[in-house]
C-alpha cells in the first residue's frame, strides 16, 4: 500500500511540473502576442501639401547669396523653393542627376544645382540647353553654387496639365519669358501661374489697381492653391469652369496634382 501511495505522489508531482511548464509557456506566448499587438504601426511617408514657400529667379537667388549669405539663409535655407531660369546642362553626379542653371555663360560660373528625383527622368531627358524651366526643391546649402535636393522640374507645365485635365480640354506649353505656362483653348490662350503664397500676393497687389470690371473680365485666382489665371474675354461660363478647375489643383510633395 505504501508503495502505491509513493507512485501516486510521484505522478502527481510530475503532472504539476508539466502543468506549470505549460502555463509558463502560455504566459510567455500571450505576453509576446500582447506586446506585438501593442507595437506602434510602421510610420507612413509624410506628404507635404503646401505650395512652395518662396519663388525666385535663379539669378536673383545667386545675387542674394553673393550680397549676403547670412541674410539669404534667413530667407531660403531649409525651405522648398520655386526657382525659374534657363537650363545650363544636365549632369551625372554619382548616382544623382543634376540640373544646373548658371548665372553666366562661362565655365564654372555660379549656378543653381538641383538634384532631381528619379520620377523626373522623362522630363529631364527632354530638356535642352537654354530651355526655360522651373524647379521646386528643398534648399540645402550655398557654397559658390546653390544646392537644392529632391527637385521636381517644370512644375508650371504640370500644373497646367492638371487644370486642362479638370477642364477636359486644352494643351499646355512653357511660358518662355516669365514664370508660368500657357493654356491653349482653341485659338485663345490663358496665362497660368502656380507659385508661392508670397508670389500670389504680389500678383494680387499688382492687379489691384485695375478697375474691378476689368479684373472680373480677365482674371481668376484661388488663394488656397496660390494659382492665378489670366484669360482675355472671360465669359461667366468660363469663369465658373476655370474657378472649379483651379480649386482642384493641389501641391503634394512639390508636385502639382488633381484632387477628387
Amino acid at each position: 500500500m505504501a508503495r502505491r501511495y509513493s507512485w501516486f505522489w510521484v505522478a502527481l508531482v510530475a503532472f504539476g511540473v508539466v502543468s506549470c511548464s505549460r502555463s509558463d509557456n502560455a504566459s510567455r506566448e500571450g505576453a509576446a502576442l500582447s506586446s506585438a499587438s501593442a507595437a506602434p504601426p510602421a510610420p507612413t511617408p509624410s506628404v507635404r501639401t503646401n505650395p512652395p514657400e518662396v519663388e525666385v529667379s535663379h539669378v536673383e537667388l545667386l545675387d542674394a547669396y553673393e550680397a549676403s549669405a547670412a541674410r539669404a539663409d534667413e530667407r531660403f535655407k531649409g525651405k522648398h523653393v520655386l526657382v525659374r531660369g534657363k537650363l545650363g546642362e544636365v549632369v551625372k553626379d554619382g548616382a544623382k542627376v543634376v540640373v544646373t542653371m548658371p548665372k553666366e555663360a562661362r565655365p564654372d560660373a555660379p549656378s543653381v544645382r538641383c538634384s532631381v528625383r528619379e520620377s523626373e527622368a522623362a522630363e529631364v531627358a527632354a530638356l535642352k540647353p537654354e530651355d526655360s524651366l522651373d524647379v521646386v526643391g528643398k534648399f540645402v546649402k550655398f557654397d559658390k553654387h546653390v544646392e537644392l535636393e529632391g527637385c521636381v522640374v517644370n512644375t508650371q507645365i504640370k500644373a497646367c496639365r492638371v487644370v486642362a485635365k479638370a477642364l477636359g480640354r486644352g494643351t499646355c506649353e512653357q511660358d518662355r519669358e516669365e514664370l508660368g505656362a500657357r493654356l491653349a483653348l482653341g485659338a485663345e490662350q490663358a496665362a497660368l501661374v502656380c507659385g508661392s503664397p508670397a508670389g500670389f500676393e504680389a500678383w494680387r497687389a499688382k492687379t489691384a489697381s485695375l478697375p474691378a470690371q476689368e479684373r472680373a473680365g480677365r482674371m481668376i485666382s484661388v488663394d488656397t492653391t496660390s494659382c492665378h489665371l489670366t484669360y482675355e474675354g472671360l465669359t461667366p461660363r468660363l469663369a465658373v469652369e476655370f474657378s472649379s478647375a483651379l480649386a482642384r489643383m493641389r501641391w503634394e510633395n512639390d508636385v502639382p496634382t488633381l484632387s477628387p
Side-chain angles (χ1 to χ4, degrees):
M1 179 68 71
R3 184 175 295 176
R4 288 179 182 175
Y5 278 127
S6 54
W7 280 111
F8 171 78
W9 287 113
V10 170
L12 184 61
V13 169
F15 177 78
V17 170
V18 171
S19 296
C20 289
S21 177
R22 287 177 177 173
S23 176
D24 289 344
N25 288 340
S27 297
R28 284 194 294 268
E29 289 171 3
L33 288 172
S34 176
S35 175
S37 63
T44 55
S46 60
V47 176
R48 186 176 179 278
T49 58
N50 300 322
E53 296 161 275
V54 188
E55 64 185 67
V56 65
S57 76
H58 76 294
V59 173
E60 291 168 340
L61 179 55
L62 291 165
D63 282 348
Y65 269 92
E66 290 173 4
S68 171
R71 284 200 299 270
D73 268 350
E74 292 178 3
R75 185 180 176 193
F76 301 111
K77 193 170 184 180
K79 294 183 178 179
H80 291 254
V81 184
L82 167 57
V83 185
R84 65 185 186 277
K86 298 282 188 181
L87 175 67
E89 58 181 343
V90 179
V91 298
K92 289 281 287 184
D93 184 2
K96 297 180 180 178
V97 175
V98 178
V99 169
T100 72
M101 287 184 279
K103 184 177 178 181
E104 302 168 3
R106 61 180 177 81
D108 204 32
S111 64
V112 174
R113 296 173 54 86
C114 201
S115 174
V116 302
R117 302 178 188 178
E118 290 182 9
S119 58
E120 298 295 289
E123 292 274 358
V124 171
L127 296 175
K128 300 179 182 62
E130 291 297 310
D131 276 354
S132 298
L133 80 157
D134 69 271
V135 298
V136 176
K138 186 176 180 179
F139 189 101
V140 179
K141 65 178 181 178
F142 171 74
D143 184 7
K144 183 178 180 180
H145 305 287
V146 167
E147 303 282 349
L148 305 177
E149 67 178 10
C151 289
V152 179
V153 303
N154 286 335
T155 63
Q156 301 303 294
I157 288 287
K158 289 178 171 67
C160 184
R161 290 169 185 159
V162 166
V163 173
K165 184 176 180 179
L167 287 170
R169 64 189 189 281
T171 58
C172 299
E173 65 178 33
Q174 189 86 28
D175 191 323
R176 297 189 175 279
E177 302 302 324
E178 298 179 359
L179 178 67
R182 311 295 294 185
L183 171 63
L185 299 174
E188 298 181 292
Q189 289 191 346
L192 173 68
V193 178
C194 291
S196 68
F200 180 86
E201 289 301 326
W203 171 81
R204 186 152 59 182
K206 181 179 178 180
T207 59
S209 60
L210 297 174
Q213 186 175 1
E214 185 175 347
R215 292 200 307 272
R218 303 178 61 226
M219 299 170 184
I220 298 293
S221 63
V222 180
D223 296 29
T224 56
T225 64
S226 297
C227 294
H228 62 267
L229 182 147
T230 306
Y231 189 87
E232 298 293 339
L234 196 61
T235 65
R237 179 179 175 180
L238 266 178
V240 170
E241 288 188 57
F242 282 146
S243 296
S244 298
L246 287 181
R248 293 182 62 191
M249 213 288 291
R250 294 287 185 273
W251 290 91
E252 288 190 1
N253 288 337
D254 298 333
V255 181
T257 60
L258 187 64
S259 69

